Amino acid sequence: MTWEVVIGLEVHAELTTRTKMFCGCPTTFGASPNTQTCPICLGMPGTLPVINRRAIEFGVRTALAFNCRINTACRFARKHYYYPDMPKNFQISQYEEPLAEDGWLEIDVQGGTKRIGIQRLHMEEDVGKLIHDGTLETAPSSRVDFNRAGVPLMETVSKPELRSPEEAAAYLRAFRSVLMYLGVCDGNMEEGSMRCDANISLRRPGATELGTKVEIKNLNSFRNAQRALEFEVKRQAQALEAGEKIVQETRLFDADKGYTRSMRSKEYAHDYRYFPEPDLVPLKLEGAFVDGIRAALPELARAQQQRFVAQYGLPAYDAGILTQSRALAGYYEAAVSALAPGGSTASPASAKAVANWIMSELLRVVPGDDERAIAESPVPPAHLAGLIALIDDGTISGKIAKDVFEKMVRSREDARTIVQREGLTQVADTGAIAAIVDQVIAANPKAIADFKAGKTAAAKSLVGQVMKATQGKANPAIVNTLIEEKLAKV
Amino acid sequence: MTDPTRLTAHELTDAFRSGAATPSAVTEAYLGRIAKLDGKVRAYLTVTDGRARAAAAASDARYRAGKPLGPLDGVPISYKDVLSTRGVKTTCGSRILESWVPPFDATVVTRLAAAGVVPLGKSNMDEFAMGSSTEHSAFQLTANPWDLARVPGGSSGGPAAAVAGDLAAISLGTDTGGSIRQPGAFCGIVGMKPTYGRVSRYGLVAFASSLDQIGPFAKDVRDAALVLRAIAGVDPADATSVDVPVPDYAASLGEGMRGLRVGVLEYDTAGMDPDVQRAVTAAIDVLKGLGATTQAVTLPTADHGLAAYYIIAPAEASSNLARYDGVKYGLRALGKDLIDMESRTRAAGFGAEVKRRIMLGTYALSSGYYDAYYGKAQKVRTLIRRDFDAAFEHVDVIVGPTTPGVAFKHGEKEDPLAMYLNDVFTVPANLSGNPGISVPCGFSTSGLPIGLHLVGRAFDEATILRVAYAYEQATTWRTRRPELA
């Protein structure tokens, strides 16, 4: 039997504001427990929240990038449940009047792109972290760290328009790219900066009603999200085919064992008792505020990829790799423009050469999606451009250039410094090369005989010998020409 | 000179400036009186004598240097124990916060400290401000200084009794449904609830966030005006505080009644104490005699105010009080696991009235009931606000009784619903946000004080203070004082 898979994703992203959502505490990850707290984020009696303007800016920026409608009046609500990592035993979130609604995100699918609807985007505060002395079940005591409590969180809920685990993973990749391009989230799933829950159900192809959905929590990487959903598709299909009913429940993905298990069923679902947060007044987002953010939106990966194709003549594949992060794209453009001095336009050949060097060499050394690593790359864009310029002007060969690059990575020096110090300059002196060619021909009568007998490959071996004798520094084009001339004469 | 504890705050600072008295001497007089008489009144939960003496000494020095901080410098004050005080226990009248010492001051406490007041201590209250008699305090019963067998009203019974019993010159209470104005009436003093948003709530331990306001108790209207001026004004730490200029209330007190239109509230007299009705009618005649024009005013939706209030306030309380779980601060009971610990903590830490309201509020917010209860109560609230707006198109102030009756005996109102009816005249102004003040307007045949309730336009505290002042100056009620010794 065939089934149509219906998936919707909820992504929580921690925003990279300097301070928390409702107080002035810093948001830095990894500080000693309970050092980044104050009476407000500890929920002490008598404290009141005050909205972080920057967090709202980040939310609006993201909502605009997701093509959402910004609600000019939104408000916060309290979401209640008891859990010791939550200081007030309610979370300030948004419910009926979220920051933004009705947008879309474009994702790559086989053979093209697809728009996935975004239902809503809202702001809330993060909770703290429990530290158990052992496992949750066996710990004699647990401690709680409230450093994370109150960190701004943005929750984005997609429409149930994803049709496969692969599409879900593509959605997460595109989502993360947008957030990172906007500079609102560091996208680090391992540290929990981006967390994903999925709703998944199956139905008969062509059916209009949705099947019973299951919520899967704890999807802490793209890979795990896809694996969990793949498992769940199989589990639900088997159950349905066996005539069983799907239970509406929350399931947890165990990444080690590769399966999902039931966490709680609908009967035990929370009644969150939402009501408007009385300590905050409704937030009026004025047109000028939103327009200002819209005007300052950066170019996003997808647009940049298209521009790279049009402007630099790159293959779409290359442009896709180069736009995996804003930092890498910036690196690329900086290197290209360094090769076109004085504001001139770089030639398509050098634009492609830069792309090749980044893809084949730089990305071996620096992860392409790590903004900081790229910013701190041992080979900055100007140095890479300098290396390529040395090849272009014939100072070094492409082969030597690869060795020079390795040395640049180790020493952080520019190419010219290394080439000059180590005497790697390519020999382009035709007279000097001709002398070596004569020596090689004299020492290889057999090769000459072979060539005369019609074995043209013999010429190649002679070129190789000349290069060997010059330790690779001879300009290969000149060597080729000279060998051809000499052989024609013998 | 006369016993300084009999003086108003403005009389005290006059004496400080003239050198007839010093803040330290007055503070000692208050501390002595508290030591001698608070065993009878039981207004205080904590007396901060060390802090009081230090503040008084600093104030002495300012007067000696001729540089007092303003009209409240050196004035002894008591704070309701729901207002956070750094380094001083803030119990909210609850076992669950019996040992809670906040690491910060409420904004009002900071502002009054900057005005030079002398903090005598923290006064008793109904647990988490839920009640009208202060009998729901987990710690002690507070007596009404006029009759020690009777309640001082509530929930701000402690700070009201402190001022009425000359155990503080001024005090701060909080008013969610009448918790300043009703004890003000019961204790024969001035009690004022400012407009919602006029005074920062930062550091006020929340009962019902959309209704709570902090306000003064005082021996006369001028003192109330001075205290309000000191605590009012927008606060960046409270997003619901409103940036409306704070006028010099004391300066406009003497402008009189001429040209003011007084709306006389029409109300259901069933169940009313006839002494209260008589006193209020007579007070309205005094206002007419002072030159006010009067007209009848009705608030048609106000009849539903109490019902709406007892949905909204418990709903917000159930949320605000969720944080007391034994995990972070306050009482922690031992339990076999987390949930057991939390349940036992809350069972042991909260009193019956608080539990009743948490259950009411939890129910009202539950999925499937929200629209029928909380949603509908909010609609009633909007209608009441419109009623006030409509009335204030024709009048400048609305007058009526503060309470249906006078102070009752301890234990007299055991039925919660009978207790809730105490708030019938005060609750509408909490729901609408309008400012209200209770000013003494006579005594019952049994000799107990009666309060006149004045409600004004939002952020127009100046007018109700002015009317209350004109009335106060035209009458002699304030000269009658309870005798404790």
Side-chain angles (χ1 to χ4, degrees):
Chain A
M1 268 185 257
T2 58
W3 299 95
E4 182 179 46
V5 177
V6 177
I7 298 171
L9 294 179
E10 287 174 23
V11 182
H12 286 87
E14 273 187 352
L15 301 182
T16 49
T17 52
R18 279 188 302 110
T19 58
K20 291 186 179 180
M21 188 69 219
F22 298 114
C23 67
C25 287
T27 54
T28 327
F29 180 82
S32 303
N34 296 310
T35 55
Q36 305 198 351
T37 58
C38 74
I40 297 170
C41 58
L42 290 174
M44 284 184 182
T47 56
L48 297 171
V50 176
I51 298 170
N52 180 341
R53 184 189 168 92
R54 192 94 177 123
I56 299 299
E57 265 180 52
F58 280 18
V60 170
R61 198 187 289 176
T62 311
L64 290 173
F66 287 157
N67 313 289
C68 289
R69 182 184 78 241
I70 309 291
N71 286 331
T72 48
C74 71
R75 65 183 306 167
F76 286 88
R78 293 185 181 178
K79 177 182 184 178
H80 300 87
Y81 57 95
Y82 278 81
Y83 209 68
D85 65 3
M86 195 162 59
K88 303 182 290 294
N89 281 323
F90 63 78
Q91 179 190 34
I92 305 177
S93 180
Q94 294 191 292
Y95 186 51
E96 283 181 336
E97 295 137 300
L99 187 73
E101 292 173 89
D102 283 336
W104 48 265
L105 172 62
E106 203 166 66
I107 66 166
D108 289 317
V109 292
Q110 274 195 327
T113 60
K114 178 176 172 182
R115 275 186 187 182
I116 304 300
I118 285 173
Q119 196 172 314
R120 55 183 276 144
L121 179 150
H122 77 243
M123 312 296 294
E124 58 189 30
E125 55 179 341
D126 209 344
V127 298
K129 244 180 207 163
L130 290 183
I131 301 157
H132 303 293
D133 300 329
T135 69
L136 177 60
E137 287 75 19
T138 62
S141 69
S142 298
R143 288 165 294 161
V144 57
D145 175 8
F146 287 117
N147 280 352
R148 201 179 66 179
V151 168
L153 268 189
M154 183 176 68
E155 180 177 331
T156 310
V157 182
S158 84
K159 291 181 180 160
E161 295 177 352
L162 296 158
R163 289 289 171 268
S164 68
E166 298 75 39
E167 284 190 13
Y171 174 90
L172 288 175
R173 275 192 293 271
F175 189 98
R176 181 171 180 270
S177 163
V178 170
L179 262 53
M180 292 182 65
Y181 259 71
L182 295 173
V184 300
C185 175
D186 68 20
N188 191 326
M189 291 187 87
E190 287 75 44
E191 285 179 5
S193 307
M194 232 180 91
R195 311 195 274 273
C196 174
D197 301 333
N199 284 303
I200 175 167
S201 62
L202 302 189
R203 65 178 172 188
R204 292 272 179 229
T208 48
E209 300 273 299
L210 290 172
T212 305
K213 70 174 180 184
V214 164
E215 185 183 17
I216 314 175
K217 291 207 173 277
N218 200 24
L219 305 176
N220 59 3
S221 69
F222 298 154
R223 196 172 113 76
N224 282 343
Q226 189 167 337
R227 282 172 65 209
L229 290 167
E230 280 163 356
F231 174 86
E232 197 56 26
V233 168
K234 263 186 238 153
R235 188 188 73 85
Q236 290 189 21
Q238 273 171 14
L240 290 169
E241 280 158 26
E244 292 167 24
K245 279 216 163 93
I246 301 296
V247 183
Q248 183 170 343
E249 61 181 352
T250 301
R251 297 177 73 86
L252 204 64
F253 181 60
D254 186 324
D256 295 332
K257 303 196 174 92
Y259 60 71
T260 66
R261 61 185 158 82
S262 184
M263 207 171 130
R264 57 171 180 255
S265 73
K266 197 192 173 193
E267 294 95 276
Y268 299 100
H270 290 299
D271 179 353
Y272 292 122
R273 293 180 288 119
Y274 281 103
F275 79 105
E277 167 57 274
D279 287 330
L280 294 171
V281 291
L283 192 62
K284 297 241 184 314
L285 297 173
E286 286 157 20
F289 176 76
V290 175
D291 291 345
I293 295 170
R294 194 193 308 272
L297 277 183
E299 184 183 32
L300 296 177
R302 203 155 274 278
Q304 209 165 29
Q305 183 183 356
Q306 285 161 13
R307 179 167 64 79
F308 281 12
V309 171
Q311 183 175 341
Y312 302 115
L314 292 180
Y317 174 81
D318 293 23
I321 288 179
L322 294 173
T323 54
Q324 65 185 282
S325 73
R326 196 174 163 187
L328 187 64
Y331 183 104
Y332 172 73
E333 293 210 271
V336 169
S337 71
L339 278 172
S344 62
T345 311
S347 69
S350 59
K352 176 67 174 129
V354 175
N356 289 344
W357 273 92
I358 289 175
M359 292 190 295
S360 61
E361 303 301 325
L362 183 75
L363 291 182
R364 285 193 295 109
V365 182
V366 175
D369 61 352
D370 187 334
E371 308 260 333
R372 175 179 286 184
I374 292 165
E376 293 167 0
S377 167
V379 181
H383 287 188
L384 184 66
L387 178 67
I388 293 169
L390 291 181
I391 304 168
D392 286 352
D393 69 13
T395 308
I396 56 174
S397 67
K399 186 167 179 303
I400 292 282
K402 298 216 168 176
D403 297 337
V404 174
F405 183 86
E406 295 305 325
K407 291 182 167 123
M408 289 165 75
V409 169
R410 280 196 295 275
S411 71
R412 295 183 169 260
E413 291 167 306
D414 69 14
R416 188 168 295 279
T417 305
I418 294 168
V419 165
Q420 283 177 350
R421 183 180 59 234
E422 305 199 1
L424 300 173
T425 308
Q426 182 167 256
V427 178
D429 177 340
T430 312
I433 296 174
I436 296 164
V437 167
D438 288 342
Q439 287 169 26
V440 167
I441 288 176
N444 286 283
K446 177 155 189 323
I448 307 299
D450 287 350
F451 182 79
K452 278 184 176 166
K455 293 185 184 168
T456 49
K460 275 194 181 152
S461 98
L462 291 173
V463 170
Q465 298 227 28
V466 173
M467 294 308 287
K468 194 177 168 191
T470 60
Q471 293 160 313
K473 285 187 279 185
N475 183 318
I478 296 173
V479 175
N480 271 324
T481 312
L482 288 173
I483 297 264
E484 275 171 29
E485 283 171 14
K486 300 274 178 190
L487 288 176
K489 288 177 196 160
V490 293
Chain B
M1 71 182 287
T2 52
D3 177 356
T5 63
R6 285 282 186 184
L7 300 180
T8 62
H10 59 89
E11 287 165 345
L12 281 176
T13 49
D14 283 348
F16 297 156
R17 274 192 301 273
S18 72
T22 64
S24 282
V26 170
T27 299
E28 290 307 329
Y30 269 109
L31 291 173
R33 190 171 164 87
I34 291 167
K36 188 169 149 220
L37 294 173
D38 196 46
K40 290 182 180 176
V41 181
R42 296 178 300 274
Y44 282 89
L45 292 172
T46 304
V47 177
T48 53
D49 45 349
R51 285 166 187 258
R53 288 192 172 103
S59 181
D60 288 351
R62 289 191 293 270
Y63 280 103
R64 276 199 304 275
K67 287 178 182 167
L69 293 170
L72 295 174
D73 198 345
V75 175
I77 191 171
S78 172
Y79 293 113
K80 187 180 183 181
D81 211 20
V82 75
L83 298 171
S84 300
T85 41
R86 182 169 58 205
V88 177
K89 275 198 301 183
T90 300
T91 68
C92 299
S94 181
R95 290 277 171 223
I96 213 156
L97 288 178
E98 189 168 3
S99 56
W100 168 242
V101 179
F104 60 95
D105 277 327
T107 297
V108 290
V109 172
T110 305
R111 287 185 177 179
L112 283 170
V117 299
V118 171
L120 293 173
K122 307 295 293 291
S123 38
N124 198 24
M125 56 184 287
D126 284 300
E127 185 176 5
F128 284 104
M130 297 175 192
S132 304
S133 69
T134 313
E135 293 170 291
H136 296 313
S137 166
F139 305 113
Q140 62 197 32
L141 286 181
T142 296
N144 189 317
W146 291 90
D147 177 351
L148 298 178
R150 290 176 187 269
V151 303
S155 65
S156 309
V163 170
D166 295 328
L167 302 166
I170 51 173
S171 63
L172 285 190
T174 62
D175 189 316
T176 306
S179 284
I180 293 174
R181 291 160 291 160
Q182 184 255 20
F186 277 19
C187 289
I189 56 172
V190 176
M192 182 179 203
K193 179 198 88 79
T195 312
Y196 185 82
R198 178 55 105 178
V199 177
S200 168
R201 293 182 296 114
Y202 190 82
L204 155 61
V205 180
F207 159 19
S209 311
S210 73
L211 300 162
D212 297 341
Q213 263 294 287
I214 300 167
F217 287 107
K219 293 176 184 179
D220 71 3
V221 175
R222 180 173 296 277
D223 278 6
L226 293 172
V227 176
L228 179 62
R229 176 103 202 265
I231 61 175
V234 70
D235 176 10
D238 177 1
T240 63
S241 68
V242 181
D243 193 3
V244 175
V246 179
D248 184 348
Y249 299 111
S252 59
L253 287 178
E255 288 177 8
M257 289 300 298
R258 218 148 275 293
L260 285 183
R261 300 163 300 170
V262 171
V264 177
L265 181 69
E266 293 197 333
Y267 55 89
D268 185 359
T269 55
M272 288 281 299
D273 182 332
D275 287 353
V276 173
Q277 290 182 57
R278 185 179 37 73
V280 169
T281 306
I284 290 160
D285 288 338
V286 170
L287 292 176
K288 282 186 198 163
L290 290 168
T293 59
T294 60
Q295 58 178 286
V297 157
T298 55
L299 299 169
T301 333
D303 290 349
H304 302 294
L306 214 51
Y309 174 84
Y310 276 98
I311 297 293
I312 293 169
E316 294 183 8
S318 72
S319 171
N320 285 325
L321 271 59
R323 71 192 68 197
Y324 308 113
D325 57 6
V327 171
K328 305 163 289 280
Y329 42 70
L331 182 74
R332 175 185 292 177
L334 293 177
K336 61 177 166 27
D337 57 27
L338 175 74
I339 296 187
D340 190 43
M341 182 279 282
E342 292 182 336
S343 303
R344 286 172 188 274
T345 296
R346 290 170 68 82
F350 290 137
E353 182 62 25
V354 171
K355 286 175 186 161
R356 183 178 298 124
R357 298 205 197 187
I358 289 173
M359 286 190 282
L360 274 173
T362 302
Y363 183 79
L365 289 177
S366 298
S367 154
Y369 297 97
Y370 180 90
D371 290 338
Y373 293 104
Y374 193 80
K376 194 151 205 171
Q378 289 291 9
K379 285 179 188 156
V380 170
R381 190 173 187 174
T382 304
L383 293 176
I384 289 176
R385 201 173 283 138
R386 284 188 199 152
D387 281 356
F388 273 111
D389 289 347
F392 284 120
E393 286 182 12
H394 307 289
V395 301
D396 302 302
V397 58
I398 297 172
V399 302
T402 306
T403 56
V406 294
F408 46 89
K409 290 187 171 152
H410 287 119
E412 191 180 322
K413 299 206 183 214
E414 289 194 337
D415 172 11
L417 290 177
M419 188 76 89
Y420 296 170
L421 283 172
N422 259 286
D423 300 332
V424 67
F425 294 121
T426 47
V427 147
N430 294 90
L431 291 169
S432 67
N434 293 71
I437 190 170
S438 179
V439 62
C441 72
F443 292 85
S444 68
T445 48
S446 51
L448 293 166
I450 296 168
L452 181 70
H453 189 216
L454 310 172
V455 178
R457 293 189 184 90
F459 297 100
D460 186 19
E461 288 85 359
T463 297
I464 56 173
L465 283 164
R466 176 181 154 193
V467 174
Y469 182 78
Y471 174 78
E472 176 191 77
Q473 296 300 310
T475 56
T476 57
W477 308 117
R478 71 189 184 286
T479 61
R480 263 169 85 173
R481 306 295 288 276
E483 291 299 332
L484 280 176

